Amino acid sequence: MTLLRRLRVLRQRLRSSWRKEAMDAELHKEFAFHLDQLVHENIAEGMPPGEARSAARRTLGNAGLLEEECRDQRRVAWLHDLWQDLCYGARMLRRNPGFSIIAISSLALGIGGNTAILGVMGSVLLGDLSLPHADRLVVIRTFPLENPQQSSNASVPDYLAWKEQSRSFEVMGASLSDQKADWEAFHAGCGLRRTASRSCRRGARHPAEIHQRRWGIPQFTLLTCSKPAGIEDHLPTCSGR
Amino acid sequence: MPKPSDLLQGTLDLLILKTLARDPLHGWAIAKRIQQLSDEVLSVRQGSLYPALHRLEQQGWITAEWKDTDLGRSAKFYALTREGKQQLARELQSWTRLSSAVRLLLKRA
């Protein structure tokens, strides 16, 4: 649709919505003109004026219905119907206050309850991680090619290989399970000793205990984009690899 | 004289657009001109003509203006818009395709 035509259509729609009375009057006038033309034609054919008008009315048919059909072409009838329905609804509510109070209370309770539950779900389950650049964090998992739905964790050798060869990630870290074999494989890969599994952030205004599983690289750097202050030095790291 | 034929479904828009291609006309004159130009074969009833005119106006193919007739009466004159001319060309093309297909069928069947 060209811009000009779009504007023309928009103008028609606006006019049909806001100047309905004026348009209805025009419609009425248009049919009056048509009727008069029919009368003139009948008179010209030799009919007496009274008979000519009656015949013209018969030819034109149900003018009200015809006007209604023309109004239907305006494509804004739904707007008027909607407004009428709303007015009707408001009148009904005013007429039956008891029913109105029950209906409005039920709606309020239903909407309020839903909002509360969805609000909690949204912030707890769907909320963003409260970390800077959370949108750039990804979890890397592996899956068998023949069954992509069945994802699982990566093996330690895979992780070490990715870390060394991948160029798509700024930083990569691993969270190790408590299985001894994993942990030892990891240490063998990094050349590190087994170390503590918990650490504390100190010196911050609001000291926070950070629970962690056994992590393999400066995870804090990965998650917070800054080198953590006061982290105990015995965090297992794999830097330089 | 035989009764004028009812219009084939879908051809009314084409007839109205084509009738308005020459100069702006009011509803009554459009109906009369269609009847005259078709040697009284085609007749457009008011019940079809006016809803079609209003639909074409809403679609932006034609535009309407209140003007005085030769006899000094105020009437709603419809005129083709620029987009309406393009639509007329499309409708003509589609009509030509349809009518030649029907002619072919009648010849070969």
Side-chain angles (χ1 to χ4, degrees):
Chain A
M1 200 190 274
T2 62
L3 182 68
L4 202 64
R5 189 176 155 228
R6 225 179 263 271
L7 287 173
R8 221 189 286 278
V9 169
L10 183 70
R11 185 173 154 267
Q12 281 292 335
R13 297 279 195 282
L14 286 176
R15 209 166 158 255
S16 308
S17 316
W18 300 110
R19 300 201 55 220
K20 188 175 176 292
E21 284 75 23
M23 284 193 77
D24 286 349
E26 277 184 15
L27 194 59
H28 198 69
K29 206 169 139 192
E30 191 174 14
F31 285 122
F33 175 79
H34 193 97
L35 185 74
D36 283 352
Q37 294 299 115
L38 277 172
V39 173
H40 284 309
E41 193 179 59
N42 289 344
I43 291 173
E45 283 173 4
M47 274 189 206
E51 198 184 320
R53 184 154 283 273
S54 311
R57 282 195 189 285
R58 277 197 302 276
T59 310
L60 191 64
N62 187 341
L65 186 69
L66 199 51
E67 286 182 19
E68 196 55 45
E69 280 177 16
C70 291
R71 270 194 288 271
D72 285 346
Q73 306 299 328
R74 293 179 193 162
R75 315 268 178 99
V76 287
W78 64 272
L79 206 65
H80 295 291
D81 291 348
L82 179 70
W83 178 244
Q84 279 185 333
D85 287 349
L86 286 175
C87 292
Y88 176 74
R91 278 202 304 277
M92 286 295 114
L93 287 177
R94 209 168 44 213
R95 195 173 294 171
N96 306 307
F99 170 77
S100 307
I101 287 168
I102 292 170
I104 293 168
S105 315
S106 318
L107 280 172
L109 279 174
I111 295 169
N114 263 319
T115 312
I117 291 168
L118 288 175
V120 171
M121 275 179 70
S123 54
V124 173
L125 299 177
L126 307 169
D128 286 341
L129 291 170
S130 54
L131 293 167
H133 306 295
D135 56 325
R136 293 173 66 189
L137 283 173
V138 291
V139 174
I140 311 174
R141 288 174 165 270
T142 59
F143 59 87
L145 277 176
E146 66 276 10
N147 186 8
Q149 304 298 324
Q150 188 195 330
S151 78
S152 60
N153 296 327
S155 67
V156 171
D158 275 347
Y159 161 66
L160 293 172
W162 290 342
K163 191 169 156 47
E164 194 162 295
Q165 292 163 29
S166 162
R167 297 284 170 272
S168 304
F169 304 98
E170 280 177 39
V171 190
M172 197 185 291
S175 171
L176 288 181
S177 71
D178 283 334
Q179 285 180 11
K180 201 178 165 195
D182 278 356
W183 198 226
E184 279 166 2
F186 181 75
H187 281 158
C190 290
L192 287 170
R193 289 183 298 111
R194 180 171 182 173
T195 52
S197 63
R198 289 181 109 194
S199 69
C200 259
R201 199 170 69 165
R202 288 179 189 154
R205 189 170 290 173
H206 302 292
E209 188 177 7
I210 299 165
H211 295 270
Q212 62 172 67
R213 298 173 78 185
R214 296 172 178 188
W215 284 354
I217 66 138
Q219 305 283 345
F220 292 100
T221 311
L222 188 155
L223 295 176
T224 64
C225 300
S226 63
K227 192 172 175 3
I231 294 282
E232 287 175 16
D233 243 3
H234 58 255
L235 272 174
T237 59
C238 204
S239 56
R241 295 285 307 232
Chain B
M1 200 205 307
K3 197 171 164 263
S5 314
D6 281 339
L7 278 168
L8 188 65
Q9 196 82 33
T11 54
L12 183 57
D13 287 5
L14 170 66
L15 294 184
I16 292 174
L17 293 175
K18 182 68 184 164
T19 310
L20 290 174
R22 205 181 297 170
D23 45 14
L25 293 171
H26 48 71
W28 170 264
I30 295 171
K32 283 285 141 195
R33 186 166 289 178
I34 290 176
Q35 210 167 337
Q36 282 161 6
L37 292 178
S38 67
D39 289 337
E40 311 288 327
V41 174
L42 297 175
S43 160
V44 189
R45 300 214 176 100
Q46 297 88 333
S48 317
L49 176 71
Y50 286 98
L53 282 171
H54 285 254
R55 190 184 62 246
L56 293 171
E57 190 189 358
Q58 286 290 338
Q59 287 171 333
W61 305 135
I62 60 176
T63 179
E65 192 186 359
W66 283 87
K67 281 193 295 193
D68 283 348
T69 62
D70 296 338
L71 297 170
R73 276 212 58 179
S74 178
K76 194 176 180 186
F77 280 77
Y78 295 91
L80 214 55
T81 62
R82 186 144 48 106
E83 300 79 39
K85 281 179 191 151
Q86 290 158 4
Q87 176 65 10
L88 170 62
R90 282 192 291 272
E91 296 247 359
L92 268 173
Q93 205 175 11
S94 147
W95 169 254
T96 311
R97 216 176 64 240
L98 176 73
S99 57
S100 54
V102 171
R103 204 177 309 123
L104 268 181
L105 183 137
L106 294 179
K107 205 161 107 183
R108 291 174 180 171

